[in-house]
Amino acid sequence: MAAKKKKVVLSDPRAIRAIAHPARQRIIDELYNGRVLTATECAELAGLTPSATSYHLRALERWGIVERADTSADGRERPWRASATSLEVSSQPGVAGRLASQAMVRTAVDRLIEQFTAMPASDPWDELSMLRRSRLWLTKDEAEQLNKELNALLDRHRRGRSATNHPAGTREVSTLFAAVALGKPPEDN
């Protein structure tokens, strides 16, 4: 199979809506973390039946989010993988685009809350868990620069590491950064 693309960018509201389903988000998380999984393995992660999971995988494949990996030696298992190294959601103007993006964000935030609450207080990494909320007054150019710098920071820490390729002593860390403009845009925009 050909080398994977660097990034899949979703801007179509229907594609964004397609990834908003919690089971699909869970599958995407694992596949984009470098794992190659069968529908049965994905079903175990997502809490669904293998046939329901196959339906979800095919829907994600239609949008170019996941793809078939090389078939196993016995040919019965049909594994799936991420079709790129990263997935970006680019909200489009209009009601449909905003609703789709909001659904996807809601699912991601719910998953993050689950991850926060699942960590036992006795975990030695618990002190590193954080959530920071800030209100910044930025120009449009400054907001674009902030996005660029945050993406560069995350890319630097990703360093090609994945569930199947990371140094000893590392641990998976889930991140979610959000930037939302509030109020009305300045009149000079």
Side-chain angles (χ1 to χ4, degrees), residues 56-68 80:
H56 288 296
L57 286 163
R58 287 190 308 276
L60 294 172
E61 181 182 36
R62 278 192 298 277
W63 291 107
I65 298 164
V66 301
E67 63 189 16
R68 298 273 184 185
W80 294 84

Side-chain angles (χ1 to χ4, degrees), residues 115-131 157 159 161 166-175:
Q115 291 167 336
F116 263 108
T117 57
M119 179 177 261
S122 60
D123 190 307
W125 287 47
D126 184 46
E127 66 191 44
L128 301 174
S129 296
M130 59 81 91
L131 176 65
H157 285 277
R159 287 186 228 122
R161 296 177 182 186
H166 57 272
T170 61
R171 182 174 181 183
E172 184 178 22
V173 175
S174 182
T175 62

Side-chain angles (χ1 to χ4, degrees), residues 28-51:
I28 290 167
D29 282 348
E30 293 302 321
L31 296 180
Y32 274 81
N33 197 20
R35 296 185 66 189
V36 176
L37 302 169
T38 64
T40 301
E41 291 167 327
C42 289
E44 291 170 13
L45 290 169
L48 300 173
T49 65
S51 62

Side-chain angles (χ1 to χ4, degrees), residues 4-8 32-33 82-87 158:
K4 290 195 287 187
K5 300 177 277 193
K6 181 172 169 83
K7 184 188 298 187
V8 170
Y32 274 81
N33 197 20
S83 57
T85 56
S86 69
L87 178 65
R158 188 174 294 120

Side-chain angles (χ1 to χ4, degrees), residues 113-154:
I113 291 168
E114 289 172 12
Q115 291 167 336
F116 263 108
T117 57
M119 179 177 261
S122 60
D123 190 307
W125 287 47
D126 184 46
E127 66 191 44
L128 301 174
S129 296
M130 59 81 91
L131 176 65
R132 180 169 177 184
R133 185 170 178 218
S134 302
R135 286 202 173 180
L136 308 171
W137 287 88
L138 305 173
T139 65
K140 188 169 190 286
D141 289 343
E142 289 169 333
E144 288 171 350
Q145 183 63 32
L146 176 64
N147 280 337
K148 184 178 177 181
E149 290 173 14
L150 286 173
N151 282 326
L153 177 66
L154 292 173

